[in-house]
Coordinates of all heavy atoms in Angstrom, one line a residue:
Chain A
Y159 N -4.5 -11.4 10.5 CA -5.8 -11.7 9.9 C -5.9 -13.0 9.2 O -6.9 -13.4 8.6 CB -6.2 -10.6 8.9 CG -6.2 -9.2 9.5 CD1 -5.2 -8.3 9.2 CD2 -7.2 -8.8 10.4 CE1 -5.2 -7.0 9.8 CE2 -7.2 -7.6 11.0 CZ -6.2 -6.7 10.7 OH -6.2 -5.5 11.3
D160 N -4.7 -13.7 9.3 CA -4.6 -15.0 8.6 C -5.7 -16.0 8.9 O -6.1 -16.7 8.0 CB -3.2 -15.6 9.0 CG -2.5 -16.0 7.7 OD1 -2.9 -15.5 6.7 OD2 -1.5 -16.8 7.8
D161 N -6.1 -16.1 10.1 CA -7.0 -17.1 10.5 C -8.5 -16.7 10.3 O -9.4 -17.5 10.6 CB -6.8 -17.6 12.0 CG -6.9 -16.4 12.9 OD1 -6.9 -15.3 12.4 OD2 -6.9 -16.7 14.1
Q162 N -8.6 -15.5 9.8 CA -10.0 -15.1 9.6 C -10.4 -15.4 8.1 O -9.6 -15.2 7.2 CB -10.2 -13.6 9.8 CG -10.1 -13.2 11.2 CD -10.2 -11.7 11.5 OE1 -10.5 -11.0 10.5 NE2 -10.0 -11.3 12.7
H163 N -11.6 -16.0 8.0 CA -12.0 -16.4 6.6 C -12.4 -15.2 5.8 O -13.2 -14.3 6.3 CB -13.2 -17.4 6.7 CG -12.8 -18.7 7.3 ND1 -11.9 -19.5 6.7 CD2 -13.1 -19.2 8.5 CE1 -11.7 -20.6 7.5 NE2 -12.4 -20.4 8.6
E164 N -11.9 -15.1 4.6 CA -12.3 -13.9 3.8 C -13.6 -14.2 3.1 O -13.9 -15.4 2.9 CB -11.2 -13.7 2.7 CG -10.0 -12.9 3.2 CD -9.0 -12.7 2.0 OE1 -9.4 -12.7 0.9 OE2 -7.8 -12.6 2.3
E165 N -14.3 -13.2 2.9 CA -15.6 -13.4 2.2 C -15.3 -13.8 0.8 O -14.5 -13.1 0.1 CB -16.4 -12.1 2.3 CG -17.1 -11.9 3.6 CD -18.1 -13.0 4.0 OE1 -18.9 -13.3 3.1 OE2 -18.1 -13.4 5.1
P166 N -15.9 -14.8 0.2 CA -15.7 -15.1 -1.2 C -16.3 -14.1 -2.1 O -17.3 -13.4 -1.8 CB -16.4 -16.5 -1.4 CG -17.4 -16.5 -0.3 CD -16.9 -15.7 0.9
D167 N -15.6 -13.9 -3.2 CA -16.0 -12.8 -4.2 C -17.4 -13.3 -4.8 O -18.2 -12.5 -5.1 CB -15.0 -12.7 -5.3 CG -13.7 -12.0 -4.8 OD1 -13.9 -11.4 -3.7 OD2 -12.7 -12.2 -5.4

Side-chain angles (χ1 to χ4, degrees):
Chain A
Y159 301 107
D160 231 17
D161 56 350
Q162 290 180 5
H163 296 293
E164 278 180 29
E165 282 298 313
D167 293 338

